[in-house]
Amino acid sequence: MASHRKSRPTGSRVAGIRTPAFATAALTSVALLSQSANAAPEADDKPSLEEVEKKVDDLYRQAGSATEKYNGAKEKTAKQRKRVDTLLDDVAQRTEKLNEAREELGTFAAAQYRTGASAPDTATFLLADTPQDYFDQTQLMDRMTGRQKVAVDDYITQQSETMEKRQEAAESLETLTESQGDLKTAKATVQRKLADARELLSKLTAEEKARLAAIEKEKQQEAARKAAELARQQAEQQKEQEQEAAQQQGSGSSSAGSGSSSSSTVPDSSYATKADKALAFARAQIGKPYVWGATGPGSYDCSGITQAAWKAAGVTLPRTTYDQVNAGTTVPLADAQPGDLVFFYDDVTHVGIYIGNGMMIHAPKPGTYVREESIYYDGESSIHSVVRPA
């Protein structure tokens, strides 16, 4: 007998309630939305714009640090290579003289063979492990002729000096190899840090890049404000010093200790003349690109332009920031004068040349150009010290 029971509609039950097919689809959508909501924290893993900016700045600083290590290794490698070349030339010349001395002794040996003379066996001497071994094993020195003695003495001297120079050359070659390894490591580090920074920036949207530019503009405005404040303080200090000098001159006082404590940091006219030349050179480089490891004339890194600027003034500065910071007299920031070098960060990995009014000329970082900028461009805390080149 056929059943008259109606077929059960398709669908599913929720909490004991029968749901039609379209309701099942709705529930599926809700489930998907719930999954999306649960996945939302993964989207939040994307770093904020401020975090990206900080990371990029850190990478550029690390690249700057590696650049200075590269500069130092490059300079050391060049000096060491020159030293090795000099030593190898010296060894070659000494080897030639040693061979000449050996040939002269060989002449005596040949003469002995031809004549059967009873003079000391020069051939035996030449075959000994060392000349001294020969003398230790024989007592024939007193039987040598005057010419033989001179020849033997010359041979011993040439051999000893040649061996010393060969050892020195071998040690220098080892040092050169180490320097080349340091150079290669520093270069790889710079390239890696810059690549990481470019990758982070490439992931920013156009809107994020615009916001980043706005943040940078705000930082520049604050840096300019701080520079103007320093310029005002320096102007007031200069005015006070001039008034004190006028008072001392009027009273006829010549006491060396009567001036202000900062007067000892005021440079003499010869420094100002050199500084003017250094600044004139630096200003002429404005607009040229920053290139790490570059010393001009078409591009510079930070220590490259300060070195070149002071070279134009007749003053030789070391290549790296680490050495430049010790190449003069440290002065208070408030007493900074045009031409002074301003160093940045605890690891002293950046430098600019002060032009007055809280401003400097520097080569900032990859992707930028030599430019005038506030010494507070990265905040007051980033300033390490001010040095007046000797």
Side-chain angles (χ1 to χ4, degrees):
M1 180 174 177
S3 172
H4 297 286
R5 182 180 297 173
K6 294 182 179 180
S7 60
R8 181 177 297 175
T10 60
S12 60
R13 289 179 178 270
V14 177
I17 302 177
R18 190 174 63 201
T19 58
F22 77 87
T24 302
L27 288 172
T28 302
S29 298
V30 171
L32 290 174
L33 288 174
S34 178
Q35 292 176 2
S36 298
N38 292 333
E42 294 182 6
D44 292 340
D45 289 342
K46 180 179 179 181
S48 67
L49 192 59
E50 289 74 14
E51 290 172 335
V52 171
E53 180 193 30
K54 184 180 184 304
K55 181 63 175 177
V56 169
D57 286 345
D58 287 343
L59 286 169
Y60 277 136
R61 287 195 199 120
Q62 292 168 18
S65 177
T67 295
E68 291 307 309
K69 291 179 181 178
Y70 170 86
N71 292 338
K74 184 178 180 181
E75 184 178 46
K76 181 179 179 181
T77 299
K79 290 180 179 178
Q80 197 62 32
R81 182 178 289 112
K82 184 176 180 180
R83 175 172 174 76
V84 167
D85 289 343
T86 300
L87 285 170
L88 290 177
D89 287 342
D90 191 6
V91 167
Q93 293 174 6
R94 291 181 182 279
T95 300
E96 184 177 354
K97 291 180 179 179
L98 179 63
N99 291 336
E100 291 174 355
R102 183 181 289 111
E103 288 175 2
E104 186 173 1
L105 289 175
T107 301
F108 289 125
Q112 287 174 321
Y113 178 78
R114 289 194 305 269
T115 63
S118 60
D121 187 353
T122 311
T124 302
F125 171 81
L126 289 171
L127 292 174
D129 291 337
T130 69
Q132 192 61 47
D133 287 343
Y134 176 80
F135 293 118
D136 290 342
Q137 297 169 14
T138 69
Q139 299 179 359
L140 300 176
M141 185 65 179
D142 57 345
R143 294 170 52 195
M144 285 187 174
T145 65
R147 286 184 60 196
Q148 285 177 316
K149 289 180 180 180
V150 171
V152 169
D153 286 343
D154 182 50
Y155 179 82
I156 294 173
T157 300
Q158 294 296 338
Q159 186 185 55
S160 176
E161 292 180 352
T162 301
M163 291 177 65
E164 288 179 1
K165 288 298 179 180
R166 284 176 178 172
Q167 179 63 29
E168 190 175 351
E171 292 173 354
S172 293
L173 277 170
E174 185 176 351
T175 302
L176 175 60
T177 301
E178 292 175 356
S179 297
Q180 290 173 329
D182 293 341
L183 184 65
K184 184 178 180 180
T185 299
K187 181 177 181 179
T189 300
V190 174
Q191 293 173 332
R192 185 175 67 255
K193 297 300 181 182
L194 294 181
D196 290 346
R198 286 193 295 268
E199 182 180 1
L200 280 173
L201 291 173
S202 69
K203 294 179 179 179
L204 297 179
T205 65
E207 180 182 355
E208 288 173 328
K209 289 179 180 178
R211 286 169 54 200
L212 196 62
I215 293 173
E216 182 62 26
K217 185 176 181 179
E218 290 179 2
K219 288 174 60 177
Q220 292 176 352
Q221 291 173 342
E222 174 62 17
R225 185 190 68 77
K226 293 287 293 183
E229 181 181 342
L230 177 62
R232 178 183 59 78
Q233 293 174 352
Q234 289 180 327
E236 291 177 353
Q237 180 175 286
Q238 179 66 25
K239 185 176 181 180
E240 291 176 358
Q241 291 174 355
E242 291 174 353
Q243 290 175 345
E244 288 180 5
Q247 291 175 357
Q248 291 176 12
Q249 185 176 6
S251 63
S253 172
S254 59
S255 174
S258 61
S260 65
S261 61
S262 61
S263 61
S264 61
T265 63
V266 176
D268 56 26
S269 59
S270 64
Y271 178 82
T273 299
K274 294 176 182 178
D276 286 343
K277 293 180 180 179
L279 290 174
F281 179 92
R283 287 191 175 95
Q285 313 313 306
I286 290 176
K288 294 183 178 180
Y290 174 103
V291 174
W292 65 272
T295 56
S299 57
Y300 298 89
D301 63 16
C302 67
S303 56
I305 190 170
T306 52
Q307 183 188 49
W310 272 101
K311 181 179 180 180
V315 176
T316 301
L317 291 180
R319 176 64 183 93
T320 68
T321 54
Y322 310 126
D323 293 326
Q324 288 183 8
V325 74
N326 296 315
T329 304
T330 301
V331 298
L333 177 60
D335 295 332
Q337 295 290 322
D340 292 349
L341 303 179
V342 185
F343 293 90
F344 297 86
Y345 311 121
D346 292 339
D347 54 358
V348 197
T349 52
H350 189 65
V351 62
I353 184 168
Y354 192 64
I355 62 176
N357 297 323
M359 302 292 287
M360 67 178 173
I361 294 174
H362 71 146
K365 60 185 178 181
T368 63
Y369 299 83
V370 177
R371 65 193 184 199
E372 290 187 12
E373 193 164 27
S374 167
I375 62 173
Y376 299 101
Y377 80 107
D378 201 22
E380 186 172 1
S381 62
S382 68
I383 298 175
H384 177 273
S385 58
V386 178
V387 172
R388 186 158 298 150

